[in-house]
Amino acid sequence: RAGTPRCWVQDLAERPHAWPKLWKHHAAGRHAERINAVAEQRGEPWLERYGGKWAAMAITEPEAGSDTAAIRTTAVLDGDEYVLNGSKTFISSGMRADFITLAVRTGGPGASGVSLIRVEGNPEGLQRKVMKKMGWSSHTATLYFENGRVPDANLIGKEGEGFRAIMLNFDDERLHGAA
């Protein structure tokens, strides 16, 4: 009807071909907002440092699939660095990401042992392998970590808080995906 306000969901219903791109940008934006909130609590200039850069969220693993609480990629504290070992797969923007938010196991089994760590650039011990697939490429990759090292300051939040942050992100993505 003329004069009736429209929402973006209505626009997408009429132009479904635009959905994947818009959804991806929205999800990445929400991810960035959550990281920025944690960084602001710690007094870090997150947006100044990372604004305009490519980001990737690395959760899915070959062995764990979508069971986030069962991830096996580890981050072991060694002095003032975390040592990263394991692999992630189907990581969108994994080939071109300037930084990666990595789900890791820092504690015991289950959800309470999952943490998030920021991996910047291409540290020694990180190998990226492009995944050749049909359809929209999105620079999807499998990531391999073999004794990669990142500063302990790259821990996002506290150890053991990663699972909750990931679930909040998934809730938002799934709500918009269902719309």
Side-chain angles (χ1 to χ4, degrees), residues 4 10 12-13 23 26-27 38 47 54 59-60 65 71 73 96 102 109 119 131 136 139 156 177:
T4 302
Q10 290 169 311
L12 284 175
W23 176 79
H26 172 76
V38 170
L47 283 178
W54 285 101
I59 299 171
T60 304
I71 65 169
T73 298
R96 65 179 171 193
L102 182 67
V119 177
M131 294 185 74
W136 187 29
H139 301 271
I156 300 172

Side-chain angles (χ1 to χ4, degrees), residues 77-93:
L77 193 58
D78 180 27
D80 61 352
E81 295 179 314
Y82 280 99
V83 180
L84 309 174
N85 283 290
S87 61
K88 301 291 181 179
T89 193
F90 294 106
I91 307 306
S92 297
S93 297

Side-chain angles (χ1 to χ4, degrees), residues 6-16 19 22 175-179:
R6 295 179 56 83
C7 74
W8 63 271
V9 175
Q10 290 169 311
D11 289 335
L12 284 175
E14 293 174 5
R15 291 179 287 161
W19 174 250
L22 180 63
L175 175 64
H176 288 91

Side-chain angles (χ1 to χ4, degrees), residues 111-152:
S112 63
V114 177
S115 300
L116 293 174
I117 290 184
R118 181 179 63 242
V119 177
E120 300 178 49
N122 285 304
E124 190 173 323
L126 167 60
Q127 180 185 359
R128 303 175 193 225
K129 183 177 178 186
V130 69
M131 294 185 74
K132 297 184 188 280
K133 57 189 186 81
M134 294 177 58
W136 187 29
S137 154
S138 72
H139 301 271
T140 306
T142 297
L143 308 176
Y144 300 95
F145 295 90
E146 186 174 337
N147 296 317
R149 290 182 170 267
V150 297
D152 62 357

